[in-house]
Amino acid sequence: EADIYQTPRYLVIGTGKKITLECSQTMGHDKMYWYQQDPGMELHLIHYSYGVNSTEKGDLSSESTVSRIRTEHFPLTLESARPSHTSQYLCASSSIGQTSSGSGGYTFGSGTRLTVV
Amino acid sequence: AQSVAQPEDQVNVAEGNPLTVKCTYSVSGNPYLFWYVQYPNRGLQFLLKYITGDNLVKGSYGFEAEFNKSQTSFHLKKPSALVSDSALYFCAVRLPHLYGQNFVFGPGTRLSVLP
């Protein structure tokens, strides 16, 4: 069972549209992340958050923005979608300092596959 | 620089044969090591981890991994591969500091198990 939820699973949208990808987790994790992944390729961190009102850009430059108003919610927004944004977006969470319990690592959502036409 | 390498983009193995997916890392300190699996159109699923203790760790679906500090490796293994093991596998390192972007993923290895 997933404890981190991403919606929608699939999205096809026209160029120039504003979209928000939703990510919510029920584990009370402090840290949350957004990764961009082309099919079958490596993960690229685009945003992360230590906690409420904390957001940071990741290793890969992205035109998207994020917000963290509530611990459990970490939405990603594209103000104006372009075909180059076509990709899979994975949300993940972890707890600061957690290693011995649970997986000790990240918990991933099922991803949102975005296609911009 | 902290990095994780998976030297093989693709590993092919026949069903029933043992499999190995390689991972080496370059980090300072004593890292925590993880393996994740990704099935098509899904997120990553945790397989196993090494924090401390026995160098051979056992995880989900019959997988195991051996931590070798001198070779800075954490290879994933399974004694007898199944077709259903075909997926993308990611090695990851969690750095010992708590803040910052402290999780580094390898580039992934695609495992194909042939019937």
Side-chain angles (χ1 to χ4, degrees):
Chain A
E1 309 79 22
D3 293 314
I4 182 165
Y5 305 95
Q6 287 187 245
T7 57
R9 287 281 284 120
Y10 301 94
L11 179 63
V12 180
I13 199 165
T15 297
K17 298 292 186 183
K18 177 179 178 179
I19 57 170
T20 296
L21 307 184
E22 300 289 346
C23 176
S24 295
Q25 49 95 5
T26 58
M27 298 168 285
H29 283 171
D30 312 280
K31 297 183 78 171
M32 296 187 74
Y33 314 83
W34 276 104
Y35 285 87
Q36 185 174 342
Q37 183 191 29
D38 290 332
M41 302 295 286
E42 59 190 291
L43 302 167
H44 296 286
L45 180 70
I46 50 176
H47 297 283
Y48 62 100
S49 166
Y50 300 141
V52 171
N53 294 325
S54 152
T55 62
E56 301 287 342
K57 289 189 179 295
D59 304 323
L60 181 68
S61 175
S62 173
E63 295 166 337
S64 58
T65 59
V66 292
S67 62
R68 191 88 182 274
I69 299 172
R70 303 196 316 266
T71 298
E72 62 271 22
H73 195 214
F74 191 42
L76 181 144
T77 297
L78 278 165
E79 291 293 332
S80 179
R82 296 209 303 266
S84 60
H85 296 139
T86 295
S87 190
Q88 173 161 255
Y89 293 83
L90 292 170
C91 182
S93 70
S94 69
S95 180
I96 292 176
Q98 175 198 40
T99 52
S100 58
S101 61
S103 73
Y106 286 11
T107 301
F108 282 86
S110 297
T112 294
R113 185 170 295 283
L114 173 66
T115 302
V116 184
V117 298
Chain B
Q2 326 275 19
S3 65
V4 178
Q6 292 178 244
E8 300 156 318
D9 293 334
Q10 173 93 31
V11 170
N12 297 320
V13 63
E15 187 174 30
N17 283 2
L19 69 87
T20 299
V21 182
K22 296 179 180 178
C23 172
T24 59
Y25 62 92
S26 175
V27 300
S28 56
N30 296 314
Y32 306 140
L33 299 158
F34 299 81
W35 276 100
Y36 288 84
V37 59
Q38 185 181 32
Y39 298 102
N41 299 316
R42 303 301 301 272
L44 276 66
Q45 297 176 28
F46 168 78
L47 268 182
L48 51 78
K49 67 180 178 184
Y50 172 82
I51 304 296
T52 187
D54 193 348
N55 290 344
L56 184 65
V57 293
K58 296 186 183 297
S60 306
Y61 312 121
F63 283 92
E64 57 189 29
E66 186 169 12
F67 171 63
N68 187 318
K69 187 172 184 178
S70 62
Q71 296 184 3
T72 61
S73 67
F74 190 55
H75 301 331
L76 181 70
K77 300 181 180 183
K78 187 172 182 180
S80 179
L82 300 173
V83 172
S84 58
D85 292 331
S86 299
L88 190 57
Y89 290 81
F90 289 94
C91 180
V93 171
R94 180 170 176 167
L95 305 176
H97 57 272
L98 298 178
Y99 294 92
Q101 206 299 91
N102 63 346
F103 225 84
V104 179
F105 285 92
T109 298
R110 181 166 301 284
L111 173 67
S112 292
V113 181
L114 309 173

